[in-house]
Amino acid sequence: MADVRRRGSERPRLGRGTSRTATRIAFAVIVAFLLAQVSWWLLFQQRYIGDVSRVRLAGWDRDAVTATRALEGSAGDSELRLLLVERYPHLRFDQASERFVVDEGVRSAFQQQQRGYLRMFAFEGPFFALVVLLLLVFIARSLRAERDLKRRQQNFLSAVTHEFKTPLATLRLLVQTARLRNLPDDQLDTYLSHMEGELDRLERTGEQVLASARLEQAVRDPESPLPVLEEVDLNRVVEDCVAAARPGLEARGAELTIEHSPEPLPVSIDEAAFSVVFNNLLDNAVKYSSGDHKAVRVVLERDHDLVRVHVEDRGVGVTEAEAERIFERFYRSGDEMTREAPGVGLGLHLVRSITEAMNGWVRAGPNPSGSGARFTVVLPRRLAPADPMGDGFVREPA
């Protein structure tokens, strides 16, 4: 049975790999054909212009011979010479040799014109190829983004299904056990505690989905209300958040340590929104830490006109390639079918979106004090009520 499941799980990956390989081959063939076509076109234009120049100059030489013979047959008639000069504007009469010759000025102007055409074609060909290649790159990036979004949405559906189905199955089992058996009071309390934890898990999942939907609606609708920012001391806000979250996190093995700033950290934030940000970072730190004892360190500090909140863990860490992508909506590394950490891929997306709505930004990277990850929320240090379009906010450095 395990072999069947393994082969079944590998089949979609093979399909995606085959489709991706076919797309790359198709783009490679298009690029090769485009370059070959442009090269052939440039070579054809060069040969064509060369042939036209040779034919035109040879015709002018024949015109000079014809005009000279006609003039010699008329014994140097001056009126005929004037008529011949008017008839062949590309010729001039050479008094020294008494012959018609091709005007060097006309010859030079014609050759310069042909070289100009050649330069124009030599520029237009590569420019055309460059435009087409840029369009192909744009299409390829769009297809890749669409493919990644589709994959993340599939991961999201799988994660939501798992996040709802697992607690519900656990609750059903606990309820049926409690109804069918006479349980001692201590065991019943244990069951009720497990049920409460599963209900909290369901509530967190629902809140994240709803919060993400509200943020998306706020982005699409300019008239949607923005967070109301109030003047608070971040030391006190973080202490309140930790006090509320500590029992649940310690029940999961977390060992929280907080290093407050020795000076007040006045900021303008929405406390409820910031609690979502901070709780998601704490939950993420515990979720991706292994072992029975999960060290989580919170550090608050002032950096000139900025206030930084660091949440550090000793978990699996964050790779450089994922440092930005983990904040994308629905993004979760790995395979949903084999992932052990719960979640739906919205927690860090909400962290970034809410922080940016409060005029701040968030960064992820390795833990400088050892293994694991560090997430840093940066907020402007300001006491005045916030106007997102006003002056005076400290913006993210370029």
Side-chain angles (χ1 to χ4, degrees):
M1 182 65 68
D3 292 339
V4 173
R5 288 198 299 268
R6 184 169 60 252
R7 288 194 296 268
S9 63
E10 289 175 353
R11 196 170 296 126
R13 286 196 292 271
L14 291 174
R16 290 197 296 268
T18 303
S19 176
R20 187 174 303 176
T21 302
T23 303
R24 291 177 178 175
I25 293 175
F27 273 97
V29 170
I30 293 174
V31 171
F33 176 78
L34 174 66
L35 294 178
Q37 183 71 18
V38 171
S39 301
W40 176 86
W41 183 72
L42 289 175
L43 182 61
F44 171 79
Q45 292 296 336
Q46 182 180 9
R47 291 180 176 177
Y48 177 76
I49 291 175
D51 292 341
V52 169
S53 300
R54 285 191 296 271
V55 170
R56 180 67 62 86
L57 294 176
W60 287 355
D61 291 335
R62 288 194 299 271
D63 291 344
V65 173
T66 301
T68 299
R69 290 177 178 176
L71 185 61
E72 290 175 350
S74 63
D77 188 355
S78 59
E79 293 184 1
L80 179 59
R81 185 177 65 186
L82 293 177
L83 290 175
L84 290 173
V85 170
E86 183 179 355
R87 174 67 179 79
Y88 301 108
H90 49 279
L91 303 179
R92 68 177 181 82
F93 183 75
D94 183 24
Q95 297 289 346
S97 61
E98 296 185 352
R99 296 175 62 86
F100 280 95
V101 295
V102 178
D103 191 334
E104 291 299 326
V106 176
R107 184 194 298 270
S108 177
F110 172 75
Q111 291 175 337
Q112 184 67 26
Q113 182 186 45
Q114 299 305 304
R115 286 194 292 268
Y117 289 151
L118 188 60
R119 287 194 298 269
M120 180 183 68
F121 291 134
F123 171 78
E124 288 180 351
F127 179 76
F128 170 77
L130 179 62
V131 170
V132 175
L133 288 176
L134 290 177
L135 291 175
L136 288 175
V137 170
F138 174 76
I139 294 173
R141 291 173 64 91
S142 299
L143 290 176
R144 180 181 300 176
E146 183 178 356
R147 184 172 59 244
D148 289 344
L149 177 60
K150 184 178 180 180
R151 178 182 59 81
R152 291 198 301 269
Q153 288 176 338
Q154 291 175 344
N155 289 347
F156 169 73
L157 292 176
S158 300
V160 167
T161 302
H162 180 268
E163 286 299 300
F164 280 106
K165 186 175 181 179
T166 301
L168 289 174
T170 303
L171 287 171
R172 179 182 297 275
L173 178 62
L174 293 174
V175 169
Q176 290 176 348
T177 303
R179 290 181 60 186
L180 297 176
R181 298 174 57 185
N182 293 324
L183 300 175
D185 292 340
D186 56 345
Q187 190 173 0
L188 182 60
D189 289 339
T190 302
Y191 278 28
L192 292 175
S193 177
H194 283 308
M195 295 169 67
E196 185 177 10
E198 297 300 330
L199 289 173
D200 290 340
R201 181 176 175 180
L202 287 171
E203 184 178 11
R204 285 196 305 270
T205 302
E207 287 178 352
Q208 288 185 349
V209 174
L210 292 176
S212 178
R214 286 194 296 267
L215 279 175
E216 185 177 3
Q217 178 64 26
V219 171
R220 293 180 177 179
D221 186 4
E223 298 181 358
S224 298
L226 296 172
V228 179
L229 308 185
E230 300 177 350
E231 304 171 11
V232 296
D233 179 14
L234 198 59
N235 280 313
R236 192 267 306 167
V237 174
V238 169
E239 182 66 32
D240 292 344
C241 291
V242 171
R246 185 184 292 274
L249 294 176
E250 290 182 346
R252 297 163 58 188
E255 297 178 354
L256 293 176
T257 58
I258 306 176
E259 296 183 13
H260 292 284
S261 172
E263 58 180 322
L265 300 177
V267 293
S268 296
I269 61 173
D270 181 334
E271 286 196 47
F274 179 81
S275 66
V276 174
V277 171
F278 189 69
N279 289 332
N280 276 336
L281 290 179
L282 291 178
D283 178 72
N284 189 77
V286 175
K287 183 191 305 180
Y288 290 99
S289 296
S290 58
D292 297 332
H293 302 284
K294 305 173 182 180
V296 179
R297 180 168 171 256
V298 179
V299 181
L300 294 94
E301 62 180 5
R302 175 187 171 187
D303 182 8
H304 301 290
D305 291 328
L306 300 176
V307 174
R308 301 181 185 273
V309 182
H310 305 289
V311 178
E312 302 173 355
D313 61 62
R314 300 283 184 173
V316 297
V318 177
T319 63
E320 183 177 354
E322 290 186 325
E324 286 296 328
R325 298 199 66 191
I326 56 177
F327 294 103
E328 296 177 4
R329 192 182 186 197
F330 304 143
Y331 179 81
R332 301 187 76 206
S333 60
D335 190 346
E336 289 296 337
M337 298 298 102
T338 59
R339 186 181 291 109
E340 296 181 359
V344 294
L346 290 176
L348 293 179
H349 169 73
L350 292 175
V351 167
R352 183 175 66 176
S353 300
I354 295 175
T355 303
E356 290 178 351
M358 295 188 294
N359 307 294
W361 59 93
V362 61
R363 288 290 178 266
N367 189 344
S369 59
S371 62
R374 167 194 267 189
F375 288 82
T376 301
V377 174
V378 185
L379 295 168
R381 181 178 179 272
R382 177 171 176 171
L383 291 174
D387 176 9
M389 301 304 294
D391 296 328
F393 280 110
V394 180
R395 299 297 181 187
E396 180 178 7

